Amino acid sequence: MTKGIGPSADDKGASAQAISVLLVDDNADFVDTLAERLTNQGFGTTTAISGDEALEKLDNQDFAVVVLDLVMPGRNGLDTLREIKSRRPLIEVIMLSGTGTERVVIEGMQHGAFDFLTKPPEIADLAKKISEANAKKEEHLLRMQNALEKAGLAQTEGAPYTSFGGIS
């Protein structure tokens, strides 16, 4: 399910383009409520109720940020994080956990998680983290674009790259 249009240019810390967020949690009621609240904050949201469903959606749509539950049946959050980062290294992933131990948090950060929040997150805190994660991704994309321009490999139409062969 996809909702919202994303923050407007007038929103604090947001760009003129929608921040697209993939929300992944096996609790359908929780993920739907989270999507509704983030949509009300101006984010574009899509939901998935498993790691496998999230990976399928990542294959078919670009997202700026993924908010991912740690404990899920089947493919758990850490396995899903590793797969997301192998397929799309620039996508920032915010992990959610109600039971995260220090070891799990460290492992998640080693595999590229942007941050960890406890469940249920305060919407204002989550919205801030999503905006920060999106800013980090945009900074990486700009650096890549600048490097390509210096190397003479930039697109001729002048539009910045939004995807680098699966690196989005």
Side-chain angles (χ1 to χ4, degrees), residues 3-158:
K3 300 178 182 180
I5 57 170
S8 72
D10 297 330
D11 289 339
K12 184 178 179 182
S15 68
Q17 239 178 356
I19 297 177
S20 58
V21 182
L22 176 59
L23 304 168
V24 187
D25 194 297
D26 61 307
N27 181 328
D29 290 337
F30 174 78
V31 79
D32 288 343
T33 299
L34 195 60
E36 182 179 329
R37 290 181 179 172
L38 286 171
T39 298
N40 290 340
Q41 294 288 314
F43 295 96
T45 62
T46 300
T47 62
I49 58 170
S50 71
D52 289 331
E53 182 183 0
L55 295 171
E56 183 179 315
K57 290 186 178 195
L58 280 168
D59 286 341
N60 297 309
Q61 186 176 345
D62 286 329
F63 296 97
V65 178
V66 175
V67 177
L68 178 63
D69 186 25
L70 179 63
V71 179
M72 297 184 292
R75 186 185 298 263
N76 68 33
L78 286 176
D79 290 341
T80 304
L81 169 66
R82 283 190 279 272
E83 188 63 28
I84 289 169
K85 287 303 207 174
S86 74
R87 293 181 187 190
R88 303 276 186 103
L90 293 183
I91 290 180
E92 295 299 339
V93 179
I94 299 167
M95 303 292 294
L96 295 180
S97 176
T99 60
T101 65
E102 185 176 324
R103 180 193 62 76
V104 172
V105 171
I106 290 170
E107 186 176 352
M109 299 303 275
Q110 288 173 336
H111 289 289
F114 177 78
D115 208 342
F116 270 79
L117 294 174
T118 56
K119 283 175 69 175
E122 293 291 329
I123 293 303
D125 293 341
L126 181 56
K128 180 180 178 188
K129 290 292 181 190
I130 290 169
S131 294
E132 290 170 356
N134 183 64
K136 181 179 177 185
K137 178 185 177 185
E138 293 297 320
E139 181 181 332
H140 284 298
L141 287 171
L142 183 59
R143 285 182 184 173
M144 292 177 79
Q145 176 65 25
N146 289 339
L148 288 170
E149 287 174 1
K150 286 180 183 178
L153 301 173
Q155 288 178 320
T156 57
E157 296 175 13

